[in-house]
PDB file of all heavy atoms in Angstrom:
ATOM      1  N   SER O  71      -4.444  -9.753   0.932  1.00 98.00           N
ATOM      2  CA  SER O  71      -3.632  -8.676   1.465  1.00 98.00           C
ATOM      3  C   SER O  71      -2.572  -8.292   0.421  1.00 98.00           C
ATOM      4  O   SER O  71      -2.403  -9.012  -0.564  1.00 98.00           O
ATOM      5  CB  SER O  71      -2.959  -9.078   2.783  1.00 98.00           C
ATOM      6  OG  SER O  71      -2.089 -10.171   2.591  1.00 98.00           O
ATOM      7  N   ARG O  72      -1.883  -7.218   0.682  1.00 98.00           N
ATOM      8  CA  ARG O  72      -0.832  -6.786  -0.232  1.00 98.00           C
ATOM      9  C   ARG O  72       0.262  -6.080   0.513  1.00 98.00           C
ATOM     10  O   ARG O  72       0.045  -5.471   1.572  1.00 98.00           O
ATOM     11  CB  ARG O  72      -1.420  -5.875  -1.329  1.00 98.00           C
ATOM     12  CG  ARG O  72      -1.952  -4.552  -0.813  1.00 98.00           C
ATOM     13  CD  ARG O  72      -2.743  -3.806  -1.907  1.00 98.00           C
ATOM     14  NE  ARG O  72      -1.926  -3.461  -3.059  1.00 98.00           N
ATOM     15  CZ  ARG O  72      -2.405  -3.087  -4.235  1.00 98.00           C
ATOM     16  NH1 ARG O  72      -3.729  -3.056  -4.432  1.00 98.00           N
ATOM     17  NH2 ARG O  72      -1.611  -2.788  -5.230  1.00 98.00           N
ATOM     18  N   ASP O  73       1.453  -6.146  -0.060  1.00 97.00           N
ATOM     19  CA  ASP O  73       2.598  -5.424   0.476  1.00 97.00           C
ATOM     20  C   ASP O  73       3.140  -4.586  -0.663  1.00 97.00           C
ATOM     21  O   ASP O  73       3.845  -5.095  -1.552  1.00 97.00           O
ATOM     22  CB  ASP O  73       3.663  -6.397   1.001  1.00 97.00           C
ATOM     23  CG  ASP O  73       4.822  -5.698   1.694  1.00 97.00           C
ATOM     24  OD1 ASP O  73       5.057  -4.512   1.380  1.00 97.00           O
ATOM     25  OD2 ASP O  73       5.491  -6.322   2.511  1.00 97.00           O
ATOM     26  N   ASN O  74       2.799  -3.313  -0.701  1.00 97.00           N
ATOM     27  CA  ASN O  74       3.194  -2.459  -1.826  1.00 97.00           C
ATOM     28  C   ASN O  74       4.706  -2.248  -1.867  1.00 97.00           C
ATOM     29  O   ASN O  74       5.268  -2.012  -2.938  1.00 97.00           O
ATOM     30  CB  ASN O  74       2.467  -1.134  -1.749  1.00 97.00           C
ATOM     31  CG  ASN O  74       1.001  -1.281  -2.152  1.00 97.00           C
ATOM     32  OD1 ASN O  74       0.590  -2.271  -2.764  1.00 97.00           O
ATOM     33  ND2 ASN O  74       0.188  -0.287  -1.789  1.00 97.00           N
ATOM     34  N   ALA O  75       5.373  -2.347  -0.726  1.00 96.00           N
ATOM     35  CA  ALA O  75       6.827  -2.187  -0.705  1.00 96.00           C
ATOM     36  C   ALA O  75       7.503  -3.357  -1.382  1.00 96.00           C
ATOM     37  O   ALA O  75       8.618  -3.205  -1.917  1.00 96.00           O
ATOM     38  CB  ALA O  75       7.323  -2.058   0.717  1.00 96.00           C
ATOM     39  N   LYS O  76       6.845  -4.533  -1.352  1.00 96.00           N
ATOM     40  CA  LYS O  76       7.415  -5.723  -1.975  1.00 96.00           C
ATOM     41  C   LYS O  76       6.762  -6.057  -3.312  1.00 96.00           C
ATOM     42  O   LYS O  76       7.042  -7.084  -3.919  1.00 96.00           O
ATOM     43  CB  LYS O  76       7.240  -6.923  -1.042  1.00 96.00           C
ATOM     44  CG  LYS O  76       8.047  -6.799   0.258  1.00 96.00           C
ATOM     45  CD  LYS O  76       7.892  -8.047   1.131  1.00 96.00           C
ATOM     46  CE  LYS O  76       8.754  -7.935   2.393  1.00 96.00           C
ATOM     47  NZ  LYS O  76       8.598  -9.143   3.248  1.00 96.00           N
ATOM     48  N   ASN O  77       5.829  -5.185  -3.746  1.00 97.00           N
ATOM     49  CA  ASN O  77       5.138  -5.411  -5.023  1.00 97.00           C
ATOM     50  C   ASN O  77       4.489  -6.794  -5.098  1.00 97.00           C
ATOM     51  O   ASN O  77       4.555  -7.485  -6.117  1.00 97.00           O
ATOM     52  CB  ASN O  77       6.115  -5.257  -6.207  1.00 97.00           C
ATOM     53  CG  ASN O  77       6.641  -3.856  -6.358  1.00 97.00           C
ATOM     54  OD1 ASN O  77       6.012  -2.889  -5.902  1.00 97.00           O
ATOM     55  ND2 ASN O  77       7.800  -3.733  -6.951  1.00 97.00           N
ATOM     56  N   THR O  78       3.838  -7.179  -3.992  1.00 98.00           N
ATOM     57  CA  THR O  78       3.310  -8.524  -3.907  1.00 98.00           C
ATOM     58  C   THR O  78       1.892  -8.529  -3.337  1.00 98.00           C
ATOM     59  O   THR O  78       1.584  -7.811  -2.373  1.00 98.00           O
ATOM     60  CB  THR O  78       4.201  -9.421  -3.039  1.00 98.00           C
ATOM     61  OG1 THR O  78       5.535  -9.411  -3.581  1.00 98.00           O
ATOM     62  CG2 THR O  78       3.700 -10.856  -3.041  1.00 98.00           C
ATOM     63  N   LEU O  79       1.066  -9.338  -3.933  1.00 98.00           N
ATOM     64  CA  LEU O  79      -0.310  -9.597  -3.489  1.00 98.00           C
ATOM     65  C   LEU O  79      -0.343 -10.985  -2.889  1.00 98.00           C
ATOM     66  O   LEU O  79       0.356 -11.893  -3.373  1.00 98.00           O
ATOM     67  CB  LEU O  79      -1.265  -9.512  -4.692  1.00 98.00           C
ATOM     68  CG  LEU O  79      -2.714  -9.870  -4.471  1.00 98.00           C
ATOM     69  CD1 LEU O  79      -3.421  -8.754  -3.703  1.00 98.00           C
ATOM     70  CD2 LEU O  79      -3.419 -10.111  -5.807  1.00 98.00           C
ATOM     71  N   TYR O  80      -1.167 -11.180  -1.846  1.00 98.00           N
ATOM     72  CA  TYR O  80      -1.262 -12.457  -1.188  1.00 98.00           C
ATOM     73  C   TYR O  80      -2.712 -12.922  -1.100  1.00 98.00           C
ATOM     74  O   TYR O  80      -3.652 -12.135  -1.106  1.00 98.00           O
ATOM     75  CB  TYR O  80      -0.694 -12.367   0.233  1.00 98.00           C
ATOM     76  CG  TYR O  80       0.721 -11.923   0.312  1.00 98.00           C
ATOM     77  CD1 TYR O  80       1.031 -10.606   0.624  1.00 98.00           C
ATOM     78  CD2 TYR O  80       1.779 -12.801   0.056  1.00 98.00           C
ATOM     79  CE1 TYR O  80       2.351 -10.175   0.705  1.00 98.00           C
ATOM     80  CE2 TYR O  80       3.100 -12.384   0.129  1.00 98.00           C
ATOM     81  CZ  TYR O  80       3.376 -11.067   0.441  1.00 98.00           C
ATOM     82  OH  TYR O  80       4.684 -10.654   0.510  1.00 98.00           O
TER      83      TYR O  80
END
Side-chain angles (χ1 to χ4, degrees):
S71 62
R72 65 191 297 165
D73 186 336
N74 286 343
K76 294 183 178 180
N77 295 336
T78 303
L79 175 73
Y80 302 100

